[in-house]
Amino acid sequence: MSGILEGKRILITGVLTESSIAFHTAKLAQEQGAEIILTAFPRPTLTERIAKKLPKPTKVIELDVTNDEHLGRLADIVGEELGGLDGVVHSIGFAPQDALGGNFLNTPFESVATAMHVSAYSLKSLTMACLPLMQNGGSVVGLTFDAQFAWPQYDWMGPAKAALEATSRYMARDLGKQNIRCNLVSAGPLGSMAAKSIPGFSELASVWDDRSPLEWDLKDPEPAGRGVVALLSDWFPKTTGEIIHVDGGLHAIGA
């Protein structure tokens, strides 16, 4: 029986560690029949080492999503490797340390601008860079952390994720005519490299111990990866502008 991504060509960003959602997305995508290509920044060699743990070999491209030169050459490089694309996974987020950890009211705009550029605007810039390769439509899937609420320690990454969520909706509006779907997976907290960069992350994560209807495992990124792979597949052919929660159900619980 063929997998749900059989014949699909997928570009995946953000594979930094084996514990990341992006890594498990890449692994599951290959297992489900996709050809994949990875992007990495600032250390492609790190991603190349992690990529060796995937079921099949895959090419790694250096890509800084804030660099117009990198974005401008992306379609040519990916086109030579895969011929085209059916899906793009945006697993990119960054905020300077002074934008996190309880410093919300004192964060300078320069740091806020960096967080917004890397974490939100890049969804649009990455997708537009890949657009020439998506002539037959496709699926763009990003990763968010529920921006309906103000979370402990998360500070300016919260507004950045809110901007990401709005960006995805506007992209869904404007790219639907090209049969390109744009959706997000809102995952619960995981002990990834991104999480470790947030001061006081354990305080944020502890919310899940008390309120999540389903038991939540900080060490298991596979459920979120499954959500991403499902949205990349043809099983959601008319779903766009959506946020799928893979968070143990916590988003539905008030207290």
Side-chain angles (χ1 to χ4, degrees), residues 85-255:
L85 282 174
D86 303 289
V88 176
V89 177
H90 179 280
S91 181
I92 300 169
F94 173 77
Q97 283 296 298
D98 62 356
L100 299 165
N103 196 47
F104 185 85
L105 297 179
N106 299 310
T107 303
F109 177 71
E110 291 76 13
S111 296
V112 174
T114 296
M116 291 289 179
H117 192 174
V118 177
S119 307
Y121 183 80
S122 64
L123 179 65
K124 191 279 296 188
S125 54
L126 174 65
T127 302
M128 294 306 292
C130 293
L131 198 60
L133 300 172
M134 303 178 77
Q135 295 299 312
N136 298 315
S139 175
V140 177
V141 184
L143 289 164
T144 188
F145 189 74
D146 203 331
Q148 298 178 86
F149 308 105
W151 297 102
Q153 311 299 328
Y154 206 51
D155 291 359
W156 281 100
M157 276 303 293
K161 290 298 188 183
L164 176 74
E165 293 175 9
T167 299
S168 182
R169 288 189 287 269
Y170 278 92
M171 285 174 48
R173 180 195 71 179
D174 290 349
L175 294 176
K177 63 179 73 73
Q178 298 178 52
N179 197 32
I180 293 175
R181 296 171 282 124
C182 301
N183 296 289
L184 300 175
V185 167
S186 180
L190 293 162
S192 63
M193 182 177 290
K196 291 171 184 174
S197 69
I198 301 172
F201 172 77
S202 59
E203 180 186 350
L204 187 158
S206 67
V207 175
W208 266 254
D209 294 334
D210 300 325
R211 289 174 47 202
S212 177
L214 298 175
E215 184 178 358
W216 186 254
D217 186 353
L218 288 170
K219 299 177 181 178
D220 186 11
E222 185 168 322
R226 285 176 177 263
V228 174
V229 167
L231 287 169
L232 289 169
S233 78
D234 294 330
W235 284 94
F236 284 87
K238 299 299 179 185
T239 298
T240 194
E242 187 60 88
I243 301 174
I244 303 295
H245 289 80
V246 183
D247 67 347
L250 184 136
H251 71 281
I253 305 302

Side-chain angles (χ1 to χ4, degrees), residues 5-16:
L5 295 185
E6 193 68 38
K8 301 288 189 188
R9 300 157 298 177
I10 311 293
L11 180 144
I12 301 174
T13 65
V15 175
L16 293 175

Side-chain angles (χ1 to χ4, degrees), residues 16-38:
L16 293 175
T17 68
E18 202 171 349
S19 64
S20 67
I21 296 172
F23 175 85
H24 283 266
T25 297
K27 178 176 180 287
L28 290 163
Q30 286 188 334
E31 292 172 351
Q32 292 298 317
E35 288 184 84
I36 68 170
I37 193 164
L38 306 180

Side-chain angles (χ1 to χ4, degrees), residues 41-63:
F41 188 79
R43 294 172 58 193
T45 53
L46 175 60
T47 298
E48 287 168 355
R49 288 200 298 273
I50 299 299
K52 291 178 182 177
K53 300 182 180 182
L54 291 171
K56 300 175 184 177
T58 184
K59 185 178 180 66
V60 177
I61 302 169
E62 183 180 20
L63 176 66

